[in-house]
Amino acid sequence: QSVLTQPSSVSGAPGQRVTISCTGSSSNIGAGYDVHWYQQVPGTAPKLLIWGNANRPSGVPDRFSASKSGTSASLAITGLQAEDEADYYCQSYDSSLSGSWVFGGGTKLTVL
Amino acid sequence: QVTLRESGPALLKPTETLTLTCTVSGFSLKTGGMCVSWIRQSPGKALEWLALIDWDDKKYYTTSQKTRLTISRDTTKNQVVLTMTNMDPVDTATYYCTRMSMVQGIFRWFDPWGQGTLVTVSP
């Protein structure tokens, strides 16, 4: 059971828009800790996709955007492309217990 | 260019101790704000943060595995080492090392990541 909750899967046709939610609590996202997003193509290491809630590293297309509000965050992908098919993870910091970095359970994006 | 590379055994037996090494390049482990973390991913499962060591040799561990984990560094070799005792088949996973920066007192994000190393625990 992950501290951050994501849908297990989402899908969309090429060109469409999809969103992936990430729900936390008052000890992580709701406490003001930043949310970061990673993309993991099967068989490869995760790659930073979004940092600091809504910022794209250089090289990440502007088709990817993200936001945060309250105890949740979301990732949006517009103009879906076949190469976007991957697993997506949100990540934050949790201050409960002794504190730790936490991830969502991951969302498998299928491009139909 | 910042890179991290994991190395260690591919196969262990139950109860054995795992020792993984992360060799970094492109930055110094002693530079203020530089941290290295270990994160694992069981087959088909989510990412799980395990441990972090910062530039001042301060160490952080996940509460659930704290008694089994030790993270250390050798700055002369640019290496971070993770040991995990009493390995079990449920510890079968790909283990990644990754860099995190602390800026203005705030831990940032994990970037970049090593390619990962698959560790299988089997009798």
Side-chain angles (χ1 to χ4, degrees):
Chain A
Q1 196 82 357
S2 299
V3 173
L4 304 179
T5 301
Q6 298 179 233
S8 58
S9 64
V10 297
S11 62
Q16 285 191 331
R17 178 182 187 269
V18 297
T19 63
I20 298 172
S21 61
C22 174
T23 302
S25 67
S26 58
S27 62
N28 42 68
I29 300 175
Y33 294 108
D34 284 343
V35 178
H36 316 296
W37 292 88
Y38 303 85
Q39 178 192 58
Q40 185 178 33
V41 174
T44 69
K47 174 189 126 180
L48 180 68
L49 188 67
I50 298 284
W51 60 268
N53 304 314
N55 304 284
R56 289 186 308 275
S58 61
V60 173
D62 59 6
R63 301 185 295 102
F64 294 89
S65 64
S67 63
K68 170 191 157 184
S69 178
T71 59
S72 296
S74 66
L75 173 70
I77 310 171
T78 58
L80 266 182
Q81 299 182 4
E83 66 203 47
D84 299 333
E85 188 159 292
D87 295 319
Y88 293 83
Y89 293 90
C90 60
Q91 176 256 310
S92 187
Y93 181 84
D94 191 285
S95 60
S96 63
L97 299 174
S98 56
S100 66
W101 288 270
V102 292
F103 289 90
T107 299
K108 169 69 177 175
L109 168 62
T110 300
V111 181
L112 302 170
Chain B
Q1 181 189 7
V2 173
T3 64
L4 302 96
R5 186 180 76 252
E6 306 89 347
S7 58
L11 184 63
L12 283 176
K13 292 185 178 351
T15 75
E16 289 185 333
T17 294
L18 170 67
T19 299
L20 293 172
T21 300
C22 175
T23 303
V24 310
S25 64
F27 71 100
S28 170
L29 297 173
K30 295 190 293 185
T31 297
M34 292 294 108
C35 311
V36 172
S37 226
W38 284 95
I39 292 166
R40 73 177 178 180
Q41 185 174 36
S42 300
K45 303 294 185 182
L47 301 164
E48 177 186 15
W49 174 76
L50 296 175
L52 180 144
I53 188 166
D54 75 9
W55 70 98
D56 205 27
D57 207 27
K58 186 173 180 180
K59 296 146 188 178
Y60 304 77
Y61 297 100
T62 180
T63 302
S64 63
Q65 307 286 348
K66 189 171 185 176
T67 59
R68 302 172 58 204
L69 295 171
T70 302
I71 191 169
S72 62
R73 66 180 187 170
D74 183 335
T75 57
T76 64
K77 296 181 179 178
N78 296 320
Q79 292 179 336
V80 173
V81 175
L82 180 77
T83 63
M84 179 179 281
T85 61
N86 194 26
M87 293 291 283
D88 182 272
V90 300
D91 296 312
T92 293
T94 296
Y95 289 75
Y96 297 99
C97 63
T98 176
R99 187 182 73 164
M100 174 179 273
S101 303
M102 176 183 262
V103 178
Q104 296 179 332
I106 299 174
F107 287 106
R108 302 295 172 168
W109 45 89
F110 298 111
D111 181 61
W113 297 57
Q115 84 280 3
T117 186
L118 175 61
V119 177
T120 301
V121 184
S122 180

